[in-house]
């Protein structure tokens, strides 16, 4: 019988291995930037064309390579960082496995130029599908320039799985920011299709954070710095007001390597507990410096998932360090253990504690409350307490019977959840004008009569449904009217957000936003939809972007659907906003003119209807439950005193 197991050819094996390391252009960007950092470069340039699909080029002024090293670096598992197994547990460089360049060469066309400072000539190498096509001496600057062209040209099936240019560009910007944030002492630049998106000069960590995330963070960063024998932690966290509804401004670095750690992120969230909403995320850029022997970074090919030998210690240290930093900067209250010099001058300190004073203190009620057993929690009721009926102010009086017992709680009210097909069988026109006047309840709900009872409308969910259908019509039929600004505003965005807005410009114009790119991640806002308050343009667009990123993880919706849902939720009337009678009536009329008025785009009910017969049944059940309670209670007492109530049946029998 013939053997059937064969060794794969090198080019196929390399392509299979490349699938783990190079998943998209951003993966190649990460590997090439990290190689430039390991080479000791102080200036690093990233040049892109067609969101990295056509070209990804990294130019650095690092140490460069010899002719032999330039050829060897494209072999699988060829590395200068590991010689023995012990070296694997003392890694402080960004790369070490020798897979990056071999994987890149397996799925693209590569050109490399490199020269060392002690050489007059450099080396030029051209590789196509892992095959060296050309190698010759050349003129080159000190350092290395490597260009990856036509990614996945030899694997068209994988190229078809790449996203749009804007989506791939966002991933590239994310990887660029992570490397640039790790090394603020290095100069970085990013050029895409001839336009410079980033130019980051050397500086401090705070300067790098502000340069990347925005100038408005300059006065909203809190320094974190703690050092122990086991580990050091330093960096910055944002003040609570910088928290957002979406992730994106959270960075953890271990030994200058960006990592993803839900466990440590939970520690940061706990440190911010009760200072930010539960559904918000704080800004943080934190660097952990720890002995590599305590860390295993060889867990995942991307090296973004690592393991610690003592995760609980890391968790507690991160949490306490952030709380301490926030307390030092008066963001959270802290105990002050320093004694006020004025306290030492008080009579209680300077004068002796005489026997008369001791007897007086022992006889006081305060002393007794802390010395008598189980008395520390007792509060002296007093004869005339002003707090006697404080609870009634909030709960209201409860109905009581002629006896000493009170009614039990009435079961919760049943309500009718309307179907999408039948909005409400009694239309608004069938209700008299006197009953039609709506009323706002707790600045969140709108109560209004209908023919058979009343309905309770969630004002935010209802307005979100109205806006959603309005914006959908604008994208499919007639664009919305734009309210032109008398004085156009300049909108400065983060690079990733600027790419996002550029991708959505056509749809934003149809929705009433008049935006014009102004270069350098800046847009001119010349107009907004007519229903947005003047002067709120920037907040409206920034909120829209946050909502869009919040929806971006939902793969079941396409980009246009995500945009419509985002802008509807962002512009909907918030809970807590008072509405006039006319505004409430208009909202009700527009809601029931919608094609699906019963639910919001996110699936929440916009209203609940209550019928009169339901209310009558509620009160009847409450009365029956109360009567049954009293009867059963009386019968139970009679059984206890059987001598008084002979022959009374058991309550279960009743």
């Amino acid at each position: 019988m013939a053997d059937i197991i064969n060794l794969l050819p090198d080019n196929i094996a390399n392509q299979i291995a490349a699938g783990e390391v190079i998943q998209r252009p951003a993966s190649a960007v990460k590997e090439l930037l990290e190689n430039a950092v390991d080479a000791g470069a102080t200036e690093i340039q990233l040049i892109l064309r067609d969101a990295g699909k056509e070209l990804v080029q990294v130019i650095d002024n690092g140490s460069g390579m010899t002719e032999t090293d330039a050829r060897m670096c494209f072999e699988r598992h060829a590395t200068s960082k590991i010689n023995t197994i012990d070296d694997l547990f003392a890694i402080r460089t960004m790369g070490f496995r020798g897979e990056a360049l071999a994987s890149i060469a397996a799925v693209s066309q590569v050109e490399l130029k490199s020269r060392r400072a002690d050489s007059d000539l450099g080396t030029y190498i051209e590789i196509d599908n892992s095959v060296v096509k050309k190698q010759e001496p050349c003129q080159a600057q000190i350092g290395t320039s490597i260009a990856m062209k036509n990614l996945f040209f030899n694997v068209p099936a994988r190229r078809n799985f790449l996203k749009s240019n804007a989506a791939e560009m966002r991933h590239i910007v994310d990887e660029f920011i992570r490397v640039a944030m790790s090394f603020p002492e290095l100069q970085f630049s990013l050029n895409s299709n001839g336009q410079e998106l980033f130019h980051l000069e050397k500086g401090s960590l705070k300067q790098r954070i502000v340069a990347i995330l925005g100038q408005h963070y300059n006065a909203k960063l809190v320094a974190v710095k703690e050092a122990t024998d086991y580990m050091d932690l330093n960096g910055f966290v944002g003040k609570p007001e910088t928290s957002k509804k979406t992730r994106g401004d959270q960075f953890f670095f271990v030994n200058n390597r960006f990592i993803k750690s839900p466990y440590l992120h939970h520690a940061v969230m706990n440190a911010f507990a009760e200072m930010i909403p539960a559904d918000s995320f704080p800004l943080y850029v934190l660097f952990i410096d720890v002995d590599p022997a305590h860390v295993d970074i060889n867990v995942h090919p991307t090296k973004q998932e690592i393991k610690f030998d003592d995760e609980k210690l890391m968790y507690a240290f991160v949490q306490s360090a952030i709380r301490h930093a926030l307390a030092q900067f008066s963001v959270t209250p802290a105990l002050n253990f320093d004694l006020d010099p004025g306290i030492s001058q008080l009579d209680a300190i300077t004068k002796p504690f005489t026997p008369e004073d001791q007897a007086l203190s022992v006889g006081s009620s305060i002393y007794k409350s802390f010395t008598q057993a189980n008395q520390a929690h007792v509060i002296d009721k007093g004869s005339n307490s002003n707090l006697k009926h404080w609870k009634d102010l909030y709960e209201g009086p409860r109905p009581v019977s002629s006896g000493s017992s009170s009614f039990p709680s009435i079961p919760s009210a049943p309500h009718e959840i309307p179907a999408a097909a039948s909005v409400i069988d009694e239309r608004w026109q069938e209700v008299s004008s006197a009953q039609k006047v709506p009323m706002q309840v707790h600045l969140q709900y709108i109560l209004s009569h209908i023919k058979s009872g009343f309905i309770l409308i969630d004002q935010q969910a209802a307005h979100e449904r109205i806006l959603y259908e309005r914006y959908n019509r604008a994208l499919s039929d007639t664009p919305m009217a734009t309210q032109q600004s008398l004085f156009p505003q300049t909108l400065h965005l983060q690079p990733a957000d600027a790419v996002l807005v550029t991708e959505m410009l056509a749809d934003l114009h149809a929705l009433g936003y008049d935006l014009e790119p102004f270069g350098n991640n800046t847009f001119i806002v010349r107009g907004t939809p007519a229903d947005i308050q003047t002067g709120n343009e920037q907040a409206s667009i920034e909120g829209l972007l946050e909502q869009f990123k919040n929806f971006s993880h939902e793969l079941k919706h396409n980009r246009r659907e995500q945009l419509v849902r985002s802008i509807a939720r962002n512009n909907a009337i918030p809970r807590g906003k008072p509405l006039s009678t006319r505004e409430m009536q208009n909202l009700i009329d527009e809601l029931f003119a919608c094609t699906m008025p019963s639910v919001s785009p996110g699936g929440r009910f916009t209203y609940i209807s209550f019928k009169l017969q339901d209310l009558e049944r509620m009160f009847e059940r409450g009365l029956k439950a109360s009567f049954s309670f009293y009867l059963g209670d009386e019968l139970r007492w009679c059984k206890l005193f059987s001598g008084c109530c002979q022959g009374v049946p058991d309550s279960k029998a009743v």
Side-chain angles (χ1 to χ4, degrees):
M1 184 175 179
D3 297 330
I4 60 174
I5 297 179
N6 301 310
L7 288 176
L8 287 173
D10 288 342
N11 63 329
I12 297 178
N14 286 341
Q15 287 184 11
I16 294 173
E20 288 291 325
V21 181
I22 309 300
Q23 302 172 358
R24 57 189 346 138
S27 305
V29 167
K30 172 183 179 294
E31 300 291 348
L32 295 179
L33 289 177
E34 290 180 347
N35 283 348
V37 171
D38 286 341
T42 58
E43 298 178 3
I44 301 175
Q45 294 177 268
L46 172 61
I47 301 173
L48 305 170
R49 280 207 303 267
D50 197 20
K53 299 174 184 176
E54 182 180 343
L55 172 68
V56 173
Q57 183 176 9
V58 173
I59 303 173
D60 67 68
N61 63 346
S63 59
M65 291 182 283
T66 63
E67 182 179 356
T68 302
D69 287 344
R71 176 65 185 85
M72 283 292 296
C73 71
F74 291 101
E75 297 295 330
R76 287 188 66 196
H77 307 303
T79 178
S80 62
K81 286 112 186 220
I82 295 178
N83 294 316
T84 66
I85 190 64
D86 294 334
D87 295 337
L88 194 61
F89 300 98
I91 293 294
R92 284 197 175 271
T93 54
M94 303 300 290
F96 56 89
R97 285 197 294 253
E99 294 177 303
L101 294 181
S103 298
I104 290 173
V107 292
S108 66
Q109 299 165 330
V110 179
E111 292 182 3
L112 171 73
K113 289 183 180 180
S114 186
R115 179 170 80 89
R116 294 183 60 85
D118 55 2
S119 301
D120 295 330
L121 291 176
T123 301
Y124 173 80
I125 294 180
E126 184 178 324
I127 298 179
D128 191 337
N129 193 17
S130 298
V131 178
V132 178
K133 298 293 186 180
K134 185 185 295 185
Q135 179 173 352
E136 60 187 18
C138 70
Q139 291 288 339
Q141 299 290 331
I142 296 175
T144 301
S145 170
I146 182 168
M148 180 193 76
K149 300 180 179 180
N150 302 321
L151 180 63
F152 299 140
F153 78 100
N154 54 348
V155 195
R158 290 191 62 192
R159 188 178 180 91
N160 292 337
F161 278 94
L162 294 178
K163 304 298 182 182
S164 66
N165 282 2
E168 296 297 340
M169 192 65 194
R170 289 201 303 273
H171 288 287
I172 291 175
V173 169
D174 286 342
E175 295 293 350
F176 177 85
I177 287 175
R178 291 165 182 171
V179 178
M181 198 82 81
S182 304
F183 301 94
E185 69 277 9
L186 307 183
Q187 177 183 310
F188 289 86
S189 64
L190 169 57
N191 187 292
S192 176
N193 296 329
Q195 179 183 1
E196 188 175 60
L197 300 182
F198 284 95
H199 185 82
L200 306 174
E201 294 290 347
K202 307 173 186 178
S204 65
L205 175 59
K206 184 175 183 180
Q207 291 172 332
R208 181 58 54 90
I209 294 173
V210 171
I212 291 176
L213 300 183
Q215 189 65 33
H216 58 284
Y217 285 116
N218 192 30
K220 298 180 180 179
L221 296 177
V222 176
V224 179
K225 188 172 182 62
E226 297 288 345
T228 65
D229 295 337
Y230 183 82
M231 60 176 286
D232 296 340
L233 177 67
N234 67 87
F236 292 88
V237 296
K239 294 182 179 179
E241 61 264 28
T242 64
S243 63
K244 297 181 178 179
K245 297 292 185 183
T246 56
R247 300 176 185 265
D249 295 339
Q250 293 79 38
F251 300 89
F252 257 120
F253 301 92
V254 174
N255 296 339
N256 277 27
R257 182 189 304 278
F258 174 79
I259 66 164
K260 296 178 179 178
S261 175
Y263 190 66
L264 293 183
H265 173 75
H266 190 269
V268 178
M269 295 297 291
N270 266 353
F272 276 89
E274 299 181 359
M275 286 186 285
I276 62 175
D279 58 346
S280 297
F281 301 94
L283 177 151
Y284 60 81
V285 181
L286 298 173
F287 288 77
I288 297 175
D289 189 25
V290 63
D291 187 342
H294 298 304
V295 183
D296 183 6
I297 58 176
N298 195 27
V299 175
H300 192 271
T302 63
K303 299 186 285 290
Q304 291 184 356
E305 299 176 14
I306 68 176
K307 289 187 179 297
F308 300 100
D309 60 356
D310 193 342
E311 289 189 332
K312 291 184 178 179
L313 176 62
M314 305 291 289
Y315 184 100
F317 186 81
V318 169
Q319 178 177 302
S320 61
I322 293 176
R323 284 182 176 173
H324 183 229
L326 294 174
Q328 279 187 319
F329 284 83
S330 301
V331 179
T332 60
L335 293 176
N336 186 5
F337 294 98
D338 297 329
L339 182 63
D340 187 350
I343 294 178
S344 61
Q345 305 300 322
L346 296 177
D347 291 344
I349 303 296
T350 58
K351 293 183 178 181
F353 194 40
T354 64
E356 292 78 7
D357 293 335
Q358 294 179 21
L360 185 62
S361 299
V362 170
S364 67
S365 59
I366 296 178
Y367 179 85
K368 292 178 180 178
S369 66
F370 281 95
T371 55
Q372 296 176 7
N374 302 321
Q375 291 297 306
H377 65 283
V378 173
I379 299 175
D380 187 10
K381 297 180 179 179
S383 56
N384 295 319
S385 175
N386 292 329
L387 303 179
K388 184 177 180 181
H389 301 295
W390 65 270
K391 207 170 185 179
D392 293 341
L393 295 175
Y394 297 93
E395 296 183 352
R398 294 185 298 173
V400 296
S401 67
S402 57
S404 59
S405 300
S406 60
F407 277 99
S409 58
I410 297 176
S412 58
H415 53 262
E416 176 187 350
I417 304 301
S422 59
V423 178
I424 285 187
D425 49 0
E426 299 84 3
R427 306 306 300 173
W428 296 105
Q429 288 76 9
E430 300 179 26
V431 183
S432 65
S433 300
Q435 292 181 324
K436 218 173 183 182
V437 178
M439 182 182 71
Q440 196 172 20
V441 180
H442 288 293
L443 302 181
Q444 298 184 36
Y445 305 101
I446 300 173
L447 186 147
S448 184
H449 289 80
I450 56 175
K451 186 175 181 180
S452 62
F454 66 92
I455 61 171
L456 201 60
I457 299 173
D458 184 328
Q459 66 183 41
Q460 185 179 33
H463 196 219
E464 190 176 333
R465 162 54 62 180
I466 294 168
L467 294 179
Y468 173 79
E469 297 201 3
R470 184 185 302 170
Y471 295 146
N472 260 330
R473 289 193 299 270
L475 290 178
S476 57
D477 299 326
T478 306
M480 293 185 62
T482 299
Q483 178 177 287
Q484 296 295 330
S485 302
L486 185 60
F487 301 101
Q489 291 191 6
T490 303
L491 179 65
H492 299 279
L493 298 175
Q494 297 180 23
D497 290 343
V499 172
L500 195 59
V501 170
T502 303
E503 180 185 5
M504 301 187 300
L505 270 181
D507 290 336
L508 288 174
H509 285 160
L511 294 173
Y513 287 94
D514 187 358
L515 301 178
E516 179 183 334
F518 199 57
N520 197 22
N521 306 321
T522 304
F523 294 82
I524 300 296
V525 184
R526 301 191 182 279
T528 55
D531 55 357
I532 291 181
Q533 185 178 358
T534 305
N536 201 33
E537 295 86 352
Q538 180 161 344
S540 171
I541 296 174
E542 290 176 348
L544 164 63
L545 290 173
E546 289 299 318
Q547 290 291 346
F548 185 87
K549 288 185 285 187
N550 194 30
F551 279 113
S552 61
H553 67 279
E554 299 186 15
L555 300 179
K556 60 183 178 181
H557 302 308
N558 58 32
R559 180 178 56 81
R560 177 169 285 194
E561 176 70 11
Q562 292 173 5
L563 175 61
V564 173
R565 287 177 177 240
S566 303
I567 191 172
R569 177 171 295 184
N570 183 63
N571 293 342
I573 297 172
R575 293 185 174 184
K577 181 180 180 180
L579 301 177
S580 66
T581 301
R582 183 174 181 180
E583 288 173 331
M584 288 187 283
Q585 190 60 62
N586 288 341
L587 187 142
I588 294 171
D589 293 340
E590 290 188 46
L591 174 63
F592 290 105
C594 293
T595 57
M596 190 181 294
S598 58
V599 292
S600 71
R604 289 189 301 159
F605 290 110
T606 58
Y607 68 90
I608 298 174
S609 64
F610 295 82
K611 293 186 177 180
L612 291 177
Q613 52 265 40
D614 292 335
L615 297 177
E616 292 170 357
R617 283 197 297 267
M618 284 167 46
F619 283 104
E620 289 174 0
R621 277 202 301 270
L623 181 60
K624 290 178 181 179
S626 302
F627 177 75
S628 175
F629 173 81
Y630 285 111
L631 181 58
D633 194 46
E634 293 294 335
L635 292 176
R636 283 191 293 272
W637 279 103
C638 287
K639 283 177 67 73
L640 288 176
F641 298 94
S642 57
C644 301
C645 302
Q646 294 293 337
V648 177
D650 185 76
S651 61
K652 292 183 180 179
V654 177

